[in-house]
Amino acid sequence: GNAAIPEGKRRYIQFLTKYQHSSGRTRLRATTLCGPWYNPPTAPDGAPANFDVHNSPVRHSFDQEAAAVLTARLAVHQTETDDIADVLRWVDRSLIRLCAKFAEYNPDDPASFRLSAEFSLYPQFMFHLRRSQFLQLFNSSPDEAAYYR
């Protein structure tokens, strides 16, 4: 159910990647990741406590480059079925959610907005992704668009 995971328990995630090698043979690569579970703090009544952005394990282990690559790959994949405007909106909403959770700011004061070093480049990556040939098809032939995607 909703019971907290005991301290010291580990989580395992396995990725299976199937690809064709340059020799023509199909290969299957298994990558297994292991790490501790994160139990968010709870109040005495059992309700979730306030999220502490400074001590979050996500903040300390966030890989901006990997997150940007994953977001770009998901966005390009979405362009196969969704309208470009919807994909761009999804990229924007994802960035806004990340900033709302991990940035320090005072509401209604744009000058107070600060992102820690672990997140500082990610908005720039998203800025360039939005304008890249992966998502912008203006002035491109269908062949060029397929090549870049």
Side-chain angles (χ1 to χ4, degrees):
N2 291 335
I5 297 169
E7 290 297 323
K9 280 286 208 178
R10 311 282 291 168
R11 62 173 163 75
Y12 297 92
I13 300 172
Q14 189 170 60
F15 296 98
L16 297 176
T17 307
K18 191 175 186 179
Y19 64 97
Q20 186 173 14
H21 188 264
S22 61
S23 67
R25 296 187 60 197
T26 301
R27 292 188 177 180
L28 178 67
R29 172 175 282 171
T31 304
T32 305
L33 305 172
C34 175
W37 280 108
Y38 172 66
N39 287 323
T42 55
D45 64 357
N50 289 337
F51 180 75
D52 182 12
V53 70
H54 298 292
N55 294 322
S56 166
V58 173
R59 177 181 181 218
H60 296 296
S61 62
F62 188 71
D63 185 341
Q64 300 178 82
E65 291 85 2
V69 168
L70 180 62
T71 303
R73 292 189 68 148
L74 287 170
V76 169
H77 179 69
Q78 280 183 313
T79 61
E80 295 175 8
T81 57
D82 297 341
D83 186 43
I84 295 292
D86 294 336
V87 175
L88 292 175
R89 256 190 305 281
W90 174 80
V91 169
D92 292 343
R93 281 195 312 269
S94 298
L95 178 60
I96 290 167
R97 280 194 305 271
L98 180 121
C99 289
K101 183 163 256 185
F102 293 104
E104 296 175 21
Y105 61 94
N106 297 322
D108 300 323
D109 183 11
S112 69
F113 184 85
R114 300 280 181 272
L115 272 174
S116 65
E118 294 89 353
F119 298 98
S120 62
L121 295 175
Y122 187 74
Q124 295 174 47
F125 292 147
M126 294 303 100
F127 175 85
H128 292 291
L129 173 63
R130 285 182 52 90
R131 286 150 185 82
S132 71
Q133 291 177 320
F134 296 119
L135 300 181
Q136 294 296 329
L137 302 179
F138 182 74
N139 208 18
S140 296
S141 70
D143 290 340
E144 287 176 308
Y147 174 78
Y148 287 112
R149 287 184 176 173

